[in-house]
Structures are given as C-alpha cells and as structure tokens.
Amino acid sequence: PPARRQRRAPAAGGGPPGRRPGAARPPLRFTVAIDGPAAAGKGTIARAVAGALGFAHLDTGLLYRAVALRTLAGADPLEAAQASAAVAQEASRVAVLPDVRGALLLWQRRFARQEGGAVMDGRDVGTAVCPEAEAKLFVTASPEARARRRAAELGLGYQETLAEILARDARDEGRIAAPLRVAPDAVVLDTSELSVEEATAAALAAVRARLPDPRPA
Ligand code: C5P
C-alpha cells in the first residue's frame, strides 16, 4: 500500500502530562480495529484516532483495492484511479477469495502488533485479522446516509451510489470468508445522525477507555 497510509501520525504536545518523570512506559502494543460497511466514516475516524494517539494507521481496504487494480487489466493508471467506484466493486469481488485474504493476513497481523500502537480500518479486522485487538469499533450508518455522503464526496448521482453501496454490502456480508460482522466485543457507533466531529469524539473516547495508561483528552 502507498506509504502515506502507513505514516505514523505525530503525537500532539509531546509526552502525556501526569506521568512521573523518569517512569519509563513499556513499549505499547495496542491495536484499534475499526470495521464497518462502506462509507460509514471508518477512514475519517481511523485517521483522527491514530493522529490523536500517535498510532500508525492502515486502511486495509487499500490492500484489496491494490489487488483489484491489477485485475482490471487494460485501464491506464489514471483512469483506474479515477474509477474508484469500479475499483471498489472489483475489490469486494477479489475479497471473496479465501486465498487472496490469506495472502494478505500475515502482513496485516504484523502491522497490528508493531510497537507504538496501530489503528486499522476495514471489514474483518476485529473478527478475523486481530480478534485480540484491545479496542474494537464497528462504525456504521444507514445505507441512505452513506450514499448521500459518498455521492457528494465523489460528485456522483445518489441512486447509482446507493445501488453500488447496497451491492457491496450484500457481497461483504454474504461471503463465506471473513464476512462483515460486528465482533461481540465491539463498540457500535452509528454515524447516521452525527457530524464528523461528534463521531470522532465518540470513537476516541471509546478507544481511550481501553488504553492501559489512559492518555489525557
Ligand atoms: O474499505 P474499502 O471500501 O476501500 O474496501 C473495498 C472492499 O475491500 C470492500 O468492499 C471489501 O469487500 C474489501 N475489504 C475486505 N476486508 C477488509 C477491507 C476491505 O474484504 N479488511
């Protein structure tokens, strides 16, 4: 995946106040799993949580999109990049294949357990990739709310975007290999009626509550 998605976000304001000077903090291995359907706000929330806590971030959907790009033979790179809806549909088709999922699994697990903490957003991070994740969120919203946002973001029609989202939901929820499911220990966050700021604040509060050494807000 492109390096910019893996960059470690700088922690705000240096070390957290309230710690005894000289008290060494053990290396933190802490995984935040953020799963949910397309266009529910996972990416925005994952970037904000990673930025606030100084954790690395991985958008696992990019891995499936990268595979999909190769399978969409014939398109020039710019065209393929612009056809993001087509790539997303194709990604949910290659994501059905257990061998493809298996090939990407180990790499994702190593990313999750790196020193310094990791935030990963996708469909199966909390259920299959990292069932041991210390914090799990399931970010969702009504199909209509997701279609409205995605259509505005990409400048597409509402009806075609809604159809695209429903088709992808059906494929992601209906597949045999690591289907989209709410992990039993996940905090469910419905963003249908929330602003970006409200959704991000709720997600961050849920993650902070699970930190071994609660960092100040
Ligand atoms: O998250 P994004 O919409 O970019 O993902 C594209 C597709 O990749 C999803 O519809 C899903 O089928 C697949 N995916 C997956 N598991 C993940 C992340 C994405 O199956 N962890």
Side-chain angles (χ1 to χ4, degrees):
R4 79 189 160 81
R5 296 290 183 133
Q6 294 178 53
R7 202 174 44 201
R8 181 171 302 285
R19 289 181 59 79
R20 275 178 291 114
R25 194 203 290 273
L28 180 69
R29 285 187 211 281
F30 190 97
T31 309
V32 181
I34 304 183
D35 296 305
K42 296 184 302 290
T44 305
I45 288 172
R47 273 190 298 279
V49 169
L53 300 177
F55 287 11
H57 170 229
L58 175 67
D59 170 359
T60 63
L62 273 182
L63 302 174
Y64 295 93
R65 287 170 182 260
V67 174
L69 259 182
R70 293 183 174 216
T71 70
L72 288 171
D76 80 59
L78 184 59
E79 261 173 36
Q82 286 167 341
S84 67
V87 174
Q89 282 294 345
E90 182 66 8
S92 72
R93 282 189 201 101
V94 301
V96 166
L97 304 171
D99 287 350
V100 169
R101 305 199 73 83
L104 301 173
L105 193 60
L106 195 63
W107 194 87
Q108 292 180 82
R109 287 195 171 145
R110 277 206 210 97
F111 189 97
R113 300 320 284 171
Q114 69 185 282
E115 232 176 73
V119 180
M120 295 166 68
D121 67 285
R123 300 292 185 290
D124 64 337
V125 181
T127 52
V129 178
C130 299
E132 76 288 1
E134 284 78 5
K136 296 184 188 179
L137 297 178
F138 190 88
V139 178
T140 189
S142 69
E144 293 76 17
R146 291 185 280 132
R148 265 195 308 276
R149 288 179 198 156
R150 188 49 59 89
E153 182 190 348
L154 299 178
L156 300 171
Y158 170 76
Q159 287 300 342
E160 62 177 300
T161 306
L162 180 61
E164 190 267 336
I165 280 179
L166 291 174
R168 212 137 62 88
D169 282 359
R171 216 176 281 125
D172 290 347
E173 290 165 9
R175 70 184 175 217
I176 304 289
L180 175 64
R181 292 278 184 279
V182 184
D185 50 347
V187 173
V188 177
L189 183 60
D190 188 324
T191 67
S192 303
E193 307 286 331
L194 299 181
S195 67
V196 170
E197 292 72 24
E198 290 167 332
T200 305
L204 200 48
V207 174
R208 280 191 204 279
R210 308 296 309 265
L211 283 173
D213 175 9
R215 285 149 200 237

